[in-house]
Amino acid sequence: MSDSEQDSPPAIRQVMPAGTHHFRDALARVPAAVVVVATDGPFGLGGFTATAFTSVSDDPPTILVCLNRKSSQTEIFHQNGIFSVNMLAAGDEAIANDFAGFTKLPAPERFKSAAWLKGPTGAPMLERARVSLDCRLADFKSVATHNVLFGEVQAIRIQDATPDRPEILLYHDRHYRKI
């Protein structure tokens, strides 16, 4: 093999249209932290599991998380104006499944499977989460099939890994993974 052949990028084997199916398959290959997003306030208690979560800015500290527009909890999050983002520890698949709706528990019942603390904003923070971010809703945008909640982080809770609370839970290739 010549030097020029070794330095050339690998050939793309197949280019597919960017439809829903191919898009989901492509993004399933990107590992993502599993988070439970929770709120409480005058409009009720609610929570959901998400992997569509990322930082936006560090000044002021701002994150975003996506919630399906079909979710019955959209209005609760929008109206309460506060929420927490709780990064699950490896081994917390049952909590993730409850808040994803896989166990069919009503939203308030999902909170009974774990201990919660109240953050400075009043948002529930998962006691065993590796990282919890207590947020005020800074903006709310509807984009395609989802609502994007922008949260200005008011408080942060970080817990080191321990034998009973290992590293974070990831979702990759449509399966839970641990690191």
Side-chain angles (χ1 to χ4, degrees):
M1 188 181 289
S2 72
D3 285 340
S4 64
E5 289 174 326
Q6 288 178 348
D7 293 336
S8 63
I12 297 173
R13 291 185 289 208
Q14 184 179 5
V15 176
M16 299 168 278
T20 301
H21 177 75
H22 293 131
F23 181 73
R24 286 182 177 182
D25 281 350
L27 292 187
R29 289 168 171 81
V30 179
V34 180
V35 300
V36 167
V37 185
T39 188
D40 196 8
F43 290 87
L45 183 63
F48 63 94
T49 298
T51 55
F53 154 75
T54 193
S55 63
V56 173
S57 174
D58 66 354
D59 189 18
T62 306
I63 56 90
L64 71 77
V65 64
C66 298
L67 172 62
N68 192 302
R69 288 176 71 182
K70 293 179 185 174
S71 173
S72 61
Q73 298 186 61
T74 298
E75 200 58 26
I76 294 170
F77 276 86
H78 193 221
Q79 294 300 323
N80 279 344
I82 59 169
F83 63 93
S84 65
V85 176
N86 303 277
M87 189 177 300
L88 298 183
D92 284 341
E93 292 88 341
I95 295 171
N97 288 339
D98 284 349
F99 280 87
F102 297 151
T103 58
K104 306 292 185 209
L105 290 172
E109 294 295 312
R110 298 171 186 177
F111 287 85
K112 293 182 179 178
S113 65
W116 295 83
L117 308 168
K118 191 170 280 222
T121 67
M125 297 173 81
L126 181 63
E127 188 174 290
R128 65 176 284 109
R130 297 283 286 117
V131 173
S132 293
L133 306 173
D134 187 22
C135 304
R136 289 208 181 279
L137 185 63
D139 205 353
F140 185 95
K141 301 270 186 200
S142 292
V143 179
T145 59
H146 283 68
N147 291 310
V148 183
L149 287 72
F150 292 88
E152 189 171 312
V153 180
Q154 305 297 300
I156 299 169
R157 186 169 184 268
I158 301 171
Q159 295 193 69
D160 293 331
T162 62
D164 68 323
R165 188 178 296 113
E167 291 297 333
I168 65 169
L169 182 64
L170 295 178
Y171 198 69
H172 176 250
D173 228 3
R174 296 186 174 94
H175 297 284
Y176 292 120
R177 311 284 185 188
K178 301 170 188 174
I179 62 165

